[in-house]
Amino acid sequence: MKAYIAKRTGQMILIIFLISIFTFMLVSLIPGDPVYAMLGSEVSQEEYDRVYHELKLDQPVLHRYFSWLGGALQGDWGQSTQFHKSTLEIINERIPITLFFSISAFVISIPLGILFGVISAVYRGRPADTAVTLIANITACLPQFWIALLVMYVFAMKLGWLPSYGFTWFHVDLVTGVRQTIMPLFCLALGGIATVTRQTRSSMLEVIRQDYVRTARSKGISQRRVIYLHALKNALIPVITILGMRLGSMLAGSMFVESVFNIPGMGSLFVKAIQSRDIPVVQACVLVTALVSCIINLMTDILYAVVDPRVRYE
């Protein structure tokens, strides 16, 4: 396992390096002038030339990339042209909010998705299975931004039960924080519950047909014990893969949810940075997301061996 982890870590570093190159090149090709985006179209030529030089836009793209990379390795990710402060400082302010929503939605979606998937598989062909499968299939097809707009229209605009924007930490104001969290968290968790439900159902239907499950039942072991102790553990292998992918997609999906509810997280920061051509912030957002996704994938592979002792890495 140590050799495998070392190998995967090396691959992770290489992937992040390649992503940083592609991202920097693509951002440089976005139409528009970052100086005008930052200062407006009424800026004087002297001010324009000064800022253009400060941003090193008069240098070749590769030279600017390696200059940025050298600073990033030393902890200097550049200055934001939109917020006029350190990019790393902005990331440190925003990323806890995105991680809060992503991890909370992930924690909610795992037990509920597995529970609904097991119920659907055990009661296959019955009304409970039909209802769970139908709802899961419909929910999995709905875009998160559409769900966010729908719940905002119903619960914020029509009923007035919940605030439509903003975020407050619970330790600052518990009541306001909870009310502002309900709708965004619901939108992020809904897709995860549907995906985990569908995968758990499929895996459980395959496992409960195995000989060892029939043997356990023939010994008089209770149905609950057979399902949750013998069948479910082996059915979790493909589910673990989905869980790793879902946590990564929740980080990416927060972009839409945060933008709709005006939450000051990484997602809304990324959208604003692209609109204003804030290259250091765009690069930092992509790299942080890529790094978190790589770490999640590594932890997912390690978790295989924990769930199933038969899994061994050479």
Side-chain angles (χ1 to χ4, degrees):
M1 286 299 295
K2 291 181 180 179
Y4 174 77
I5 294 174
K7 179 181 178 181
R8 286 298 308 274
T9 302
Q11 295 175 349
M12 181 176 67
I13 295 174
L14 177 61
I15 290 173
I16 293 174
F17 174 69
L18 294 175
I19 289 176
S20 69
I21 295 177
F22 294 143
T23 305
F24 200 93
M25 300 303 175
L26 290 175
V27 170
S28 300
L29 297 176
I30 296 177
D33 192 316
V35 178
Y36 285 137
M38 180 175 60
L39 302 178
S41 59
E42 304 299 328
V43 62
S44 64
Q45 186 62 41
E46 293 77 8
E47 182 69 11
Y48 177 92
D49 293 337
R50 182 186 65 81
V51 176
Y52 194 86
H53 177 72
E54 289 179 355
L55 298 177
K56 301 180 181 180
L57 296 175
D58 53 349
Q59 300 177 2
V61 176
L62 285 178
H63 186 277
R64 283 191 282 124
Y65 169 74
F66 285 107
S67 176
W68 173 87
L69 181 62
L73 294 176
Q74 300 176 22
D76 181 11
W77 289 29
Q79 293 289 320
S80 169
T81 58
Q82 179 184 10
F83 298 96
H84 305 288
K85 60 180 180 179
S86 170
T87 300
L88 192 59
E89 181 182 350
I90 299 173
I91 296 296
N92 289 335
E93 293 174 355
R94 301 291 188 108
I95 196 170
I97 299 176
T98 298
L99 290 178
F100 166 76
F101 279 104
S102 300
I103 295 176
S104 298
F106 182 71
V107 171
I108 292 173
S109 63
I110 291 175
L112 291 179
I114 292 177
L115 176 62
F116 292 147
V118 170
I119 292 174
S120 182
V122 172
Y123 297 100
R124 181 184 181 185
R126 301 181 185 179
D129 176 35
T130 303
V132 171
T133 304
L134 180 62
I135 295 174
N137 289 336
I138 293 176
T139 305
C141 298
L142 298 177
Q144 285 184 332
F145 73 89
W146 185 86
I147 298 175
L149 292 174
L150 178 63
V151 297
M152 176 187 289
Y153 176 77
V154 173
F155 294 103
M157 299 180 63
K158 284 296 183 181
L159 299 177
W161 292 352
L162 298 171
S164 61
Y165 65 93
F167 174 78
T168 304
W169 287 107
F170 293 165
H171 66 271
V172 176
D173 189 332
L174 179 60
V175 176
T176 303
V178 171
R179 296 181 73 244
Q180 291 177 334
T181 301
I182 292 175
M183 288 194 294
L185 194 57
F186 172 79
C187 296
L188 285 173
L190 196 60
I193 294 174
T195 303
V196 175
T197 298
R198 296 170 65 193
Q199 184 60 58
T200 303
R201 179 184 185 275
S202 177
S203 300
M204 283 293 297
L205 287 176
E206 182 178 351
V207 169
I208 59 180
R209 299 191 187 101
Q210 300 297 320
D211 292 338
Y212 70 88
V213 175
R214 287 194 290 266
T215 302
R217 286 172 173 166
S218 65
K219 292 181 178 180
I221 300 177
S222 65
Q223 175 74 352
R224 182 183 297 271
R225 187 176 179 86
V226 170
I227 294 299
Y228 290 100
L229 184 62
H230 296 276
L232 181 58
K233 186 174 182 180
N234 292 309
L236 285 179
I237 295 297
V239 176
I240 290 174
T241 304
I242 295 297
L243 295 181
M245 295 172 59
R246 281 305 307 175
L247 183 54
S249 64
M250 284 177 182
L251 290 171
S254 65
M255 179 188 307
F256 304 105
V257 175
E258 290 176 2
S259 297
V260 171
F261 293 103
N262 194 23
I263 298 173
M266 289 283 291
S268 59
L269 174 65
F270 190 38
V271 173
K272 293 178 181 177
I274 293 177
Q275 292 174 343
S276 62
R277 293 202 67 204
D278 195 340
I279 296 177
V281 175
V282 172
Q283 187 81 344
C285 289
V286 173
L287 288 183
V288 169
T289 304
L291 177 61
V292 173
S293 299
C294 289
I295 293 175
I296 291 171
N297 290 333
L298 177 61
M299 295 175 60
T300 300
D301 291 341
I302 296 174
L303 192 58
Y304 287 149
V306 176
V307 175
D308 190 351
R310 296 171 298 179
V311 177
R312 293 293 182 267
Y313 298 102
E314 296 181 359

PDB file of all heavy atoms in Angstrom, residues 40 95 119 197:
ATOM      1  N   GLY A  40     -12.293  49.540 -16.121  1.00  0.00           N
ATOM      2  CA  GLY A  40     -13.341  50.172 -16.912  1.00  0.00           C
ATOM      3  C   GLY A  40     -12.797  50.719 -18.219  1.00  0.00           C
ATOM      4  O   GLY A  40     -11.589  50.916 -18.391  1.00  0.00           O
ATOM      5  N   ILE A  95     -12.901  29.005   0.612  1.00  0.00           N
ATOM      6  CA  ILE A  95     -12.941  27.543   0.546  1.00  0.00           C
ATOM      7  C   ILE A  95     -13.614  26.896   1.753  1.00  0.00           C
ATOM      8  O   ILE A  95     -14.260  25.847   1.603  1.00  0.00           O
ATOM      9  CB  ILE A  95     -11.521  26.964   0.332  1.00  0.00           C
ATOM     10  CG1 ILE A  95     -11.623  25.511  -0.125  1.00  0.00           C
ATOM     11  CG2 ILE A  95     -10.670  27.098   1.594  1.00  0.00           C
ATOM     12  CD1 ILE A  95     -10.313  24.926  -0.577  1.00  0.00           C
ATOM     13  N   ILE A 119     -33.605  -0.575   0.390  1.00  0.00           N
ATOM     14  CA  ILE A 119     -35.061  -0.783   0.412  1.00  0.00           C
ATOM     15  C   ILE A 119     -35.568  -1.139  -0.980  1.00  0.00           C
ATOM     16  O   ILE A 119     -36.375  -2.059  -1.153  1.00  0.00           O
ATOM     17  CB  ILE A 119     -35.767   0.480   0.942  1.00  0.00           C
ATOM     18  CG1 ILE A 119     -35.439   0.688   2.429  1.00  0.00           C
ATOM     19  CG2 ILE A 119     -37.275   0.383   0.745  1.00  0.00           C
ATOM     20  CD1 ILE A 119     -35.973   1.985   2.990  1.00  0.00           C
ATOM     21  N   THR A 197     -28.523   6.049  -4.465  1.00  0.00           N
ATOM     22  CA  THR A 197     -29.660   5.119  -4.432  1.00  0.00           C
ATOM     23  C   THR A 197     -29.643   4.181  -5.631  1.00  0.00           C
ATOM     24  O   THR A 197     -29.800   2.959  -5.483  1.00  0.00           O
ATOM     25  CB  THR A 197     -30.986   5.909  -4.411  1.00  0.00           C
ATOM     26  OG1 THR A 197     -31.049   6.706  -3.223  1.00  0.00           O
ATOM     27  CG2 THR A 197     -32.179   4.964  -4.446  1.00  0.00           C
TER      28      THR A 197
END
